[in-house]
Amino acid sequence: MWKTECQNMVSVIGSGNFITTPIITDDGQPIEVEGCRVTSAVSDKKVAQWMLILHQIGLDVVRTDRALAFYEDKANQAKLWDVLSIYSWVDDDIGYVQGMNDICSPMVILLENESDAFWCFERAMRRLRENFRCSTTSIGVQSQLGTLSQVIKTVDPQLHKHLEDLDGGEYLFAFRMLMVLFRREFSFVDALYLWEVMWAMEYNPNIFWLYEQPNGASDSNSGQLNQKMLKQYGKFQRKNLETGCADKNNALAVFLVASVLETKNKQILKEAKGLDDVVSILGDITGNLDAKKACQEALKLQNKYLKKAKRP
């Protein structure tokens, strides 16, 4: 139904092609684009905002996982564009933000049926969409960056102080890792491995109920957990509950970023004279990290942090 609704507004959707140039002007006037025709001026604000972002989605699609043979076929690029375009129409609150293409791409690759890929992405976005909510005063992962700062300050105060001295105490250099869940730092296969591990270890038996209660949902059993119920939770989430640190920003992804920083601890302390140096050092890790080792180190850091942060 949604796809048909979008096709009626922009005919190229579902055609096996996609666009990379604007189809309307900022004031809603149609622009002639080959293979995509907008017949009249657009006055509806929601429709205009959606149409204005479609070419940006196309530009990002072209850049997505370019090294993979799957996207050598333009039809597969068009499939990714279709899913992202329809999702941005459905979720007009956040719409499309760069980075969503990195989250959606594995689902398009692994799930041949486009509807399955869409719903898998839509459910993943229920979990991740706040990462993409940005304004002039805040970014979606700001609270997680705050948690990361607290974790490093607790487990490695020397590194934290050095980063603060470089004016990096807000940890904005880790923004991308958290926003797109390490898609750029790890290989395609390793990134998927991390997703599987993270979502399994953070498993909450009430997760399906939580998905249907996206705004302000809470664990209905949080006040009456017993050992039998605790065993149903993923290992990471179970430990958080047992120690009273079940804050949603206390995600395994935060400890994975911390583990990455710890692997570069000595180099950052020795070589980083400014934030650009930190970004450069972290940039060198792309494709050179071991996902399994990173997970193991993240869990060790979680144990260390919980022990040090635990109140007497």
Side-chain angles (χ1 to χ4, degrees), residues 23-24 27 55 84 112 199 205 209 234 253 256 259:
I23 56 174
I24 62 168
D27 60 357
H55 76 283
L84 290 168
E112 185 176 347
W199 293 340
W209 175 79
L256 277 164
S259 76

Side-chain angles (χ1 to χ4, degrees), residues 158-159 161-168 173 264-282:
Q158 184 184 12
L159 177 60
K161 184 179 184 309
H162 184 61
L163 290 170
E164 276 198 322
D165 291 343
L166 299 179
D167 202 24
F173 52 81
K264 294 294 183 180
N265 172 306
K266 291 180 181 177
Q267 189 178 359
I268 292 172
L269 289 173
K270 183 179 178 181
E271 299 177 14
K273 309 300 181 187
L275 274 184
D276 287 345
D277 295 329
V278 176
V279 172
S280 177
I281 290 168
L282 294 178

